[in-house]
Amino acid sequence: MAQLQAVRGTQDLLPAEARRHRTVIETARKIAERYGFGEIATPIFEFTEVFSRPIGETTDVVSKEMYTFKDRGGEEITLRPEYTAGIARAVLSNGLTQATPLKFFGAGPMFRYERPQKGRYRQFHQIDAELIGAAQPQADVEVIAMGAAILDELGVLKSCRLELNTLGDTESRTAYRAALVEYFTRHLDKLSDDSRDRLGRNPLRILDSKDEGDKAIVADAPAFSAYLTDPAKAFFDEVKRGLDALDIAYELNPRLVRGLDYYCHTAFEFITTELGSQGTVLGGGRYDGLMAMMGGPALPAVGWAGGIERLSMLIAEPPAPARPIAVIPVGEAAELEALKLTQRLRGLGHVVDLGYSGNVGKRMKRADKIEARVALVLGEDELARGAVTFRDLDAGSQEEVPLDGLAERLKGLA
Ligand code: ATP
Ligand code: MG
């Protein structure tokens, strides 16, 4: 029955996978705090215009990937495909533009109607960092350094390379765009339909094409470096100098562009060798034009987003939660006492599992299955003596422990 399946491109996070996601988010949040980034949570849906205006009608995200619908009041609503525009909207709606620089960290689900494959989903999750109101190249350096520190703390930096490029200023991009249009027009017959479509609207996007035929043509396309203005070059040099000073290794990739339209100057991606073609785990850049495009003051900004699904595939198994104590009542009379004991132990901070039915044998099997450390068996005899049978499931030994000595006995467990 189709209705009982999760929608294509979405997935359930069962406990083990949810724990990996949580590890990624908590690690990122901890490092982000060190860098002075406060946590922000914006709505999962916004008015469509929040995304369509700044992200640009010409990008794949807006033209093909957005989940857009009319709500019951007739409003045009879109499930957020990325964090940046929502955060920029929040800065404007909350009147925060005087308090710059603003540093925000966020994590949560994003929605894009894409072709699902390993590492690419329709509902996926991102960690995100935005530094708004800083024009200095040091801001780019810090934002990249924070991304590297998070990847390092997650243990995945060593399998990643950092690719770096500049998209220059408006003047550089205008000149480069003209050169690209000229070049790709000469190879029009060999371009994919998608890229032919992009040529008129956003030729830079062709450089980011995943189509093999396009890639071959892109390989010989003119490089941006020849079209950079002196100020754009100087900005890029400062970014590189800062990264060098922090010993953050990078490779220059003149073909690196960001998927969204509002980027300028610095563009970067951390790419792992371990996930094939979905190898970009964290990417971002500078977006000085965004706030003005959204109707706010011209506030320069730089940020990144990281894919939690991709990162959680790369991290080591997070430490398992504490092993539970299984409480096992024997006979009707003990049920209520077992419930009370369970509650008391949880109050002391223990992880306690109470099976709800079955004989002692069946409940002991469950204790094994959940890898309980200890089973506490409460029968009528023990209760009469104010005690429990304490089974150390690792040692395979058992002893009787008085209820008032139980907390102490549990403390002694390895
Ligand atoms: P790609 O080129 O892979 O489509 P993108 O440029 O669209 O990436 P961004 O918008 O920069 O990606 O998103 C940042 C990160 O979010 C990506 O590097 C990736 O790790 C993750 N990501 C993007 N789209 C998806 C998706 N559909 N499923 C899972 N993760 C994704
Ligand atoms: Mg994409």
Side-chain angles (χ1 to χ4, degrees):
M1 199 172 147
Q3 288 90 326
L4 286 184
Q5 263 158 29
V7 174
R8 189 165 134 85
T10 68
Q11 30 174 16
D12 302 308
L13 297 179
L14 300 180
E17 194 53 32
R19 178 146 27 96
R20 299 178 84 89
H21 275 231
R22 193 176 64 197
T23 301
V24 171
I25 294 167
E26 285 176 356
T27 304
R29 181 186 290 134
K30 179 183 76 181
I31 302 289
E33 270 175 6
R34 265 186 223 169
Y35 281 76
F37 283 61
E39 187 157 5
I40 191 169
T42 61
I44 282 171
F45 53 87
E46 300 266 1
F47 292 121
T48 296
E49 230 197 326
V50 169
F51 305 110
S52 63
R53 235 207 291 175
I55 298 178
E57 300 287 350
T58 61
T59 62
D60 289 356
V61 169
V62 168
S63 60
K64 299 197 303 235
E65 296 179 359
M66 291 207 316
Y67 275 92
T68 295
F69 57 95
K70 261 199 177 54
D71 73 6
R72 286 165 196 271
E75 302 285 8
E76 282 285 345
I77 299 292
T78 292
L79 301 182
R80 63 183 183 195
E82 52 118 49
Y83 236 127
T84 313
I87 291 178
R89 195 274 308 142
V91 166
L92 298 177
S93 335
N94 290 284
L96 304 178
T97 55
Q98 301 300 314
T100 56
L102 298 160
K103 300 180 184 182
F104 289 125
F105 168 81
M110 304 292 153
F111 306 85
R112 295 183 193 175
Y113 194 83
E114 307 206 58
R115 193 168 68 77
Q117 49 199 293
K118 188 169 183 273
R120 191 177 290 285
Y121 309 95
R122 289 180 175 175
Q123 175 176 338
F124 62 103
H125 300 78
Q126 284 185 338
I127 49 173
D128 184 275
E130 310 294 347
L131 203 175
I132 298 166
Q136 297 78 5
Q138 284 83 354
D140 306 51
V141 174
E142 278 238 299
V143 157
I144 295 174
M146 180 167 103
I150 291 169
L151 296 178
D152 196 27
E153 188 79 3
L154 288 170
V156 307
L157 187 64
K158 54 187 187 299
S159 78
C160 286
R161 64 177 187 280
L162 168 60
E163 292 193 355
L164 189 67
N165 191 22
T166 176
L167 306 176
D169 46 20
T170 311
E171 197 185 322
S172 323
R173 265 196 318 286
T174 306
Y176 185 46
R177 182 186 293 249
L180 283 182
V181 170
E182 198 270 324
Y183 172 80
F184 286 125
T185 304
R186 272 194 277 125
H187 297 89
L188 203 56
D189 52 327
K190 284 174 255 136
L191 284 180
S192 69
D193 288 346
D194 270 349
S195 285
R196 238 178 272 176
D197 207 34
R198 289 174 187 134
L199 185 58
R201 298 186 281 123
N202 187 357
L204 256 72
R205 282 287 290 152
I206 302 177
L207 300 177
D208 194 30
S209 172
K210 311 274 187 296
D211 179 274
E212 288 305 322
D214 287 349
K215 281 185 185 170
I217 298 164
V218 163
D220 292 321
F224 206 160
S225 50
Y227 300 86
L228 281 181
T229 61
D230 286 340
K233 249 185 236 159
F235 189 96
F236 195 40
D237 285 343
E238 280 296 308
V239 173
K240 288 184 282 186
R241 223 195 320 274
L243 293 175
D244 291 340
L246 297 181
D247 280 329
I248 296 173
Y250 53 84
E251 292 169 24
L252 296 178
N253 175 0
R255 306 270 174 251
L256 177 69
V257 291
R258 302 292 311 145
L260 308 177
D261 270 356
Y262 48 67
Y263 284 101
C264 62
H265 291 294
T266 318
F268 63 92
E269 283 187 0
F270 287 90
I271 302 168
T272 175
T273 48
E274 290 176 23
L275 293 178
S277 56
Q278 316 308 331
T280 302
V281 292
L282 191 148
R286 180 164 277 281
Y287 53 94
D288 291 349
L290 175 69
M291 298 295 287
M293 261 187 220
M294 295 190 72
L299 278 181
V302 54
W304 52 248
I308 297 178
E309 277 77 6
R310 296 183 196 177
L311 288 168
S312 65
M313 280 191 263
L314 296 171
I315 60 173
E317 190 65 36
R323 289 168 63 192
I325 296 164
V327 171
I328 301 181
V330 187
E332 278 290 316
E335 295 278 353
L336 213 54
E337 289 306 318
L339 190 63
K340 279 160 62 186
L341 177 63
T342 300
Q343 188 78 341
R344 179 160 74 86
L345 293 176
R346 286 182 185 145
L348 293 173
H350 293 290
V351 179
V352 189
D353 182 83
L354 180 62
Y356 300 118
S357 67
N359 59 23
V360 177
K362 194 171 157 211
R363 294 196 202 204
M364 283 305 297
K365 271 211 190 93
R366 173 169 167 81
D368 277 341
K369 192 166 164 234
I370 62 172
E371 293 181 12
R373 176 68 184 83
V374 171
L376 302 176
V377 183
L378 276 88
E380 281 175 40
D381 297 349
E382 288 100 328
L383 279 177
R385 290 194 292 272
V388 295
T389 298
F390 185 108
R391 283 197 196 171
D392 184 325
L393 298 176
D394 284 1
S397 61
Q398 75 174 47
E399 71 205 88
E400 191 165 292
V401 174
L403 279 171
D404 57 12
L406 191 55
E408 204 52 36
R409 179 67 185 82
L410 286 168
K411 263 190 214 154
L413 280 180

